[in-house]
Amino acid sequence: MTAPTVRRALSVVAVAALTLPLAACSALSSSSDSSDTSAPADAEGALSVAVSFYPIQYLTEAIGGDYVSVTSVTPTNTEPHDYELSPKDVTALSSSQLVAYVQGFQPSLDDAISQVSGPTVLDLASSIDLVHHEDSEEHEDGEETDGATAEATDEGHDHGADSAEALDPHFWLDPVRMKSAATAIEEALATADPNHASSYKNNLDTLDASLDDLDTSYSQSLGSCERTTFVTSHSAFGYLADRYGLTQASISGIEPEAEPSLAEIADIKEVVQSTGTTTIFTEELVSPETAETIANETGATTAVLNPIESQPESSDYAEAMRTNLGELRTALSCK
C-alpha cells in the first residue's frame, strides 16, 4: 500500500496565481507557514482537525478520542459531492492543525486547500486504493465485467454510451479500505501529536477490530443469496459490490445529481426484469423520484440504502453499515 500523502499546504504566495470559484481570498488567514510541528490546538488543548465529510470524521474521532477536536467541512444532512465551501469555511481551514480529505471528491475543498497555509494536509487518496469504476459497463447475464461494477443490461447494452470512466471516491462503504484510511489517519495524528501516539495506536486497534467484525458480517451474510444484483439511485456502492461478490446497477453514475437519460432508465428496467430484482434502493440525500417511478413501472418496491456520506441522525457509521447489510440481505433474498 502506498504511504499516505502528507504534505504542507501551499503558501498563500501561490494564491495570486490561482483562478478559483470561491471568491474568498480576502477572507483567508494570512498566518505564516511555520516549521514548528506543534501547530495550534483548540482552547482545551486538543489537536484541531478539519475533515472533508462524515466518514473521515468518524475515523478521526474514533482514533483521536479526547485528544482531538474534529470539525467536518460538510454540514450534516448535506450531500458532499457538490457542496460549495463558504469564505468562512475556507478561513476555518487555516486555523486547523491537520486537514484530512480525499482529493478529487469535493472540488470546492480541493480549491480551498490550495489557498490556506499552516495546516498539515493528509490526502487519503493514496492510502485507500481508489479505482476507476465506469459509470457504464457492458454486461451480460447479471455478471460483472472485468471485475468492475457493472451498470448495464443483461443484453450487453452500454448503460449510458457517453459516460466516462471516473475515479470512485466511495471507499468508506468497504470496511477493508476504511481500515487503510484509519491507519493513515493514526499515523498523521501521531506525527502531529507524538505525546499521545500510544493512545492513538490503542484506539486504532479497537477501531480495526470493529471494522474486521463488519467485514466478517458482510462476507458471511452475503455469501449465499438468491440474487447478486442490486439497483441503487447512484453509483456509490461499487467497492462494496466488488468486495463481496455482488453487482451494482445504478440509475445515476458517480455524481448523484446526474440526470439519467431515457435510454439509461430503459436499461435499468431491463436489469430489474432480467435479474428478478424486487427492490430499488433510494437514499436519504437524493431525490427518490426516478427510483420510485422505475419501481412502480417494474413492480418492484423501494427501500433506503444509505451511502453514509452524512452522519446518520440516530446512529453512527458502524450501525448504518449493519442496517445496510440487513437491507441488502432482504433485497437479495440471502439465506
Side-chain angles (χ1 to χ4, degrees), residues 6-331:
V6 182
R7 58 178 175 81
R8 298 299 294 174
L10 293 178
S11 169
V12 289
V13 174
V15 174
L18 299 172
T19 303
L20 300 171
L22 298 179
C25 294
S26 62
L28 296 178
S29 168
S30 59
S31 59
S32 61
D33 189 3
S34 170
S35 60
D36 182 3
T37 58
S38 59
D42 70 3
E44 288 73 34
L47 196 69
S48 178
V49 183
V51 300
S52 53
F53 67 120
Y54 173 65
I56 301 176
Q57 176 185 354
Y58 172 81
L59 294 177
T60 306
E61 290 178 340
I63 297 166
D66 294 336
Y67 300 117
V68 300
S69 175
V70 184
T71 302
S72 176
V73 171
T74 306
T76 301
N77 294 326
T78 300
E79 215 296 319
H81 288 76
D82 298 318
Y83 176 69
E84 290 289 335
L85 276 70
S86 69
K88 181 179 178 181
D89 294 329
V90 180
T91 302
L93 290 177
S94 300
S95 62
S96 299
Q97 180 171 346
L98 175 69
V99 177
Y101 80 126
V102 177
Q103 187 177 30
F105 180 45
Q106 294 171 288
S108 176
L109 180 57
D110 292 349
D111 290 342
I113 285 175
S114 73
Q115 297 185 52
V116 300
S117 66
T120 297
V121 176
L122 171 64
D123 176 13
L124 293 168
S126 63
S127 303
I128 49 183
D129 189 26
L130 296 181
V131 300
H132 287 80
H133 281 146
E134 288 187 4
D135 281 354
S136 58
E137 292 269 353
E138 292 195 355
H139 182 50
E140 296 184 3
D141 301 325
E143 299 297 328
E144 292 180 347
T145 304
D146 296 331
T149 303
E151 298 169 9
T153 72
D154 62 326
E155 296 179 355
H157 296 170
D158 184 5
H159 180 196
D162 294 330
S163 296
E165 190 176 70
L167 191 66
D168 188 348
H170 301 89
F171 72 91
W172 58 91
L173 294 166
D174 173 6
V176 177
R177 281 182 168 82
M178 275 289 267
K179 286 184 63 177
S180 297
T183 297
I185 290 170
E186 183 271 333
E187 291 173 355
L189 292 178
T191 298
D193 179 22
N195 290 338
H196 298 116
S198 61
S199 294
Y200 298 144
K201 181 61 170 66
N202 289 338
N203 291 343
L204 174 65
D205 291 343
T206 300
L207 177 61
D208 279 349
S210 173
L211 294 171
D212 283 337
D213 286 344
L214 273 178
D215 180 40
T216 299
S217 294
Y218 268 76
S219 295
Q220 294 178 347
S221 298
L222 299 175
S224 180
C225 303
E226 184 177 315
R227 293 177 293 278
T228 58
T229 296
F230 62 102
V231 178
T232 63
S233 290
H234 95 280
S235 185
F237 298 87
Y239 292 113
L240 185 153
D242 290 348
R243 179 69 60 189
Y244 302 111
L246 304 177
T247 298
Q248 173 188 228
S250 65
I251 298 171
S252 297
I254 297 295
E255 296 294 333
E257 299 300 333
E259 290 292 334
S261 67
L262 292 177
E264 289 171 327
I265 291 174
D267 285 348
I268 283 292
K269 290 179 182 178
E270 290 187 27
V271 170
V272 171
Q273 293 165 350
S274 66
T275 61
T277 293
T278 59
T279 303
I280 308 293
F281 284 117
T282 64
E283 54 191 76
E284 294 176 350
L285 301 181
V286 176
S287 171
E289 183 177 351
T290 302
E292 290 173 348
T293 298
I294 293 172
N296 289 335
E297 293 178 357
T298 58
T301 60
T302 61
V304 174
L305 197 64
N306 190 351
I308 323 181
E309 294 175 347
S310 179
Q311 182 169 5
E313 290 186 3
S314 58
S315 64
D316 63 7
Y317 165 84
E319 186 173 341
M321 284 289 288
R322 294 190 184 280
T323 298
N324 280 351
L325 177 56
E327 295 291 348
L328 283 169
R329 283 180 51 80
T330 299

